[in-house]
Amino acid sequence: VANRRLLLGIDIGGTKVALALGDADGGLLSASRHEAEVARGPDHMLARIVDEAHRLLGAAEGKLEAIGISCGGALDRRRGLVLNPPNLPGWDSVPVVAHLSGALQAPASLDNDANLAALGEHRFGAGRPFANLVYVTVSTGIGGGIISEGKLVRGLSDSAGELGHQTLDPQGPPCGCGNRGCLEALSSGGAIAREARRAVEESPDEGAALLALASGKPDRLAAWMVAQAAAAGDALAAALWHRAMEYLGLGIANVVSILAPQAVIIGGGMIAAGELLLAPVRSAVRSRVRLVPAEEVAILPAALGPDSALRGALALALELA
Ligand SMILES: [Zn+2]
């Protein structure tokens, strides 16, 4: 199989970097994951990626045909530049596509992690049956990607799909994007942790169960603790969780009303809450969406877990090959 065609997917994150080697159909052959070592800078990180790629390629036999690269934050897809993502300090207009394409002798393409997670779930995960879907990632922040007729919707300056920054409360809390009352500022893991800290500081008695989960330290409160305490019947945690999920349901209902997707696929760290997250979203979509046949819209957890974007990078390579 020395002339086998190979594809490479790379997911560059702030804590981990992952590589996946795929066959000509994007099927997974092998994968590796290593610490990002962000403090050592982009040159070191790119050299390590090239080493790992050579290691995977050396064990596989075949010819590398194309490379797909996933990265969070601001990037210039046409010029192949990673601009300055918040999770990769020191990366400022780094020519990732030119570097990896040159070092590995294959064409390469770059896209943001939420778009590629959407593409990955569409090609290889929970979104396989659907030509029209919306992927939503709910973790520290909220991001998304839109697949329409089997293709990613990229929009002006590749900025489509940022459904976490729709305004849901004009007077709401400030958001990292500079607006206020965005879905992300109301329903993300970061927002839930922030509200939990505020609530336990205001009412330490009602917040006793939450505080205990955080070893008595409000700044250690995390969204999963709120979910866990809510599931166990704690009233304050349940109120915080319910409010955040109500806004998440509203935000997703808005997207369903606008795009009429066949499916909404929810990924990101907070999907670990399972039905505690999915049930209120399904309920909001069923009750708020009137003109789209909401009962036909599948609302599903992502199937590829932390590998959605990595598999999407392979799907991106498949488009180049
Ligand atoms: Zn925002």
Side-chain angles (χ1 to χ4, degrees), residues 164-165 175 177 179 182:
H165 299 284
C175 182
C177 73
N179 186 21
C182 291

Side-chain angles (χ1 to χ4, degrees), residues 4-287:
R4 178 161 67 168
R5 297 166 61 213
L6 300 172
L7 304 171
L8 181 66
I10 304 169
D11 182 18
I12 306 175
T15 54
K16 296 270 193 258
V17 175
L19 290 86
L21 199 62
D23 61 21
D25 300 318
L28 194 61
L29 296 173
S30 60
S32 82
R33 195 173 289 270
H34 61 268
E35 296 296 322
E37 300 182 295
V38 170
R40 299 184 69 174
D43 289 344
H44 170 84
M45 286 177 68
L46 289 170
R48 176 78 194 272
I49 288 168
V50 170
D51 286 348
E52 287 291 327
H54 281 310
R55 197 172 60 75
L56 293 179
L57 286 163
E61 287 187 52
K63 182 180 183 307
L64 182 60
E65 293 266 315
I67 307 164
I69 306 159
S70 161
C71 193
L75 43 86
D76 182 332
R77 196 169 62 86
R78 281 177 189 80
R79 293 196 292 157
L81 304 177
V82 172
L83 297 177
N84 49 4
N87 61 345
L88 294 172
W91 288 59
D92 187 12
S93 296
V94 177
V96 170
V97 164
H99 185 100
L100 294 175
S101 176
L104 296 168
Q105 293 292 298
S109 183
L110 171 72
D111 208 331
N112 85 57
D113 53 356
N115 275 354
L116 289 184
L119 194 61
E121 288 291 333
H122 171 57
R123 278 302 187 100
F124 306 115
R128 268 178 303 180
F130 311 110
N132 296 286
L133 68 84
V134 174
Y135 172 83
V136 186
T137 172
V138 189
S139 59
T140 312
I142 295 180
I146 300 162
I147 303 279
S148 175
E149 305 304 332
K151 293 231 174 280
L152 264 175
V153 174
R154 291 193 164 103
L156 187 63
S157 289
D158 297 316
S159 58
E162 293 286 1
L163 55 90
H165 299 284
Q166 57 180 305
T167 304
L168 289 181
D169 177 359
Q171 267 39 270
C175 182
C177 73
N179 186 21
R180 51 171 59 241
C182 291
L183 173 59
E184 175 168 301
L186 295 162
S187 303
S188 64
I192 292 171
R194 180 201 68 221
E195 286 305 305
R197 279 193 289 276
R198 207 176 56 148
V200 301
E201 277 163 2
E202 268 176 27
S203 336
D205 290 346
E206 289 170 48
L210 272 176
L211 261 177
L213 280 173
S215 311
K217 298 192 168 68
D219 58 353
R220 285 200 193 164
L221 277 164
W224 69 264
M225 297 173 189
V226 179
Q228 188 176 315
D234 180 65
L236 178 66
L240 290 167
W241 184 260
H242 178 75
R243 186 181 136 87
M245 291 306 107
E246 191 166 25
Y247 279 118
L248 182 62
L250 282 182
I252 291 177
N254 288 343
V255 173
V256 168
S257 284
I258 294 165
L259 294 172
Q262 294 162 287
V264 177
I265 314 278
I266 305 179
M270 277 177 59
I271 194 61
E275 282 303 309
L276 215 51
L277 184 149
L278 287 164
V281 169
R282 288 191 182 114
S283 154
V285 168
R286 308 267 132 95
S287 69

